[in-house]
Amino acid sequence: MSDTARVTIGYWGQGLQYPEHSHAPEEIYCILAGSATFHSEGQPACVAGAGEMIHHMPHQKHAIDMTPGPLLALIPWRGEGLNTKSDLG
Ligand SMILES: [Fe+2]
């Protein structure tokens, strides 16, 4: 248990889209398997795969297309608002 970090393991099927959202905690996608196209505010879209990491700063908008997909990732969060839902759109 931790009050300063939260870890999610997520799996998204090929072709799914995780719509644009933002949140207070800093986030790192540690890609365990598969690949996806990341759209991170202020950065060019990029395809990332197993062994790569994508970092999002607090409140940085981001979206993910599971193309080519699918995607399996371990996603640590740290910072304020660990129990607050993301802002979509
Ligand atoms: Fe996120």
Side-chain angles (χ1 to χ4, degrees):
M1 297 291 290
S2 172
D3 293 330
T4 59
R6 172 178 162 181
V7 177
T8 300
I9 295 177
Y11 173 83
W12 292 267
Q14 192 171 33
L16 291 178
Q17 186 190 38
Y18 192 167
E20 185 176 84
H21 66 281
S22 63
H23 39 73
E26 180 181 12
E27 167 185 82
I28 301 173
Y29 273 79
C30 306
I31 303 173
L32 302 175
S35 57
T37 304
F38 288 80
H39 305 272
S40 305
E41 183 179 32
Q43 302 289 327
C46 76
V47 176
E52 296 184 282
M53 292 187 282
I54 301 291
H55 176 246
H56 295 128
M57 294 298 292
H59 304 291
Q60 181 182 10
K61 293 179 182 177
H62 51 283
I64 309 167
D65 292 322
M66 307 310 154
T67 305
L71 178 69
L72 177 66
L74 181 140
I75 309 154
W77 277 15
R78 69 177 177 185
E80 299 295 320
L82 291 174
N83 294 317
T84 303
K85 289 189 174 182
S86 298
D87 294 325
L88 294 172

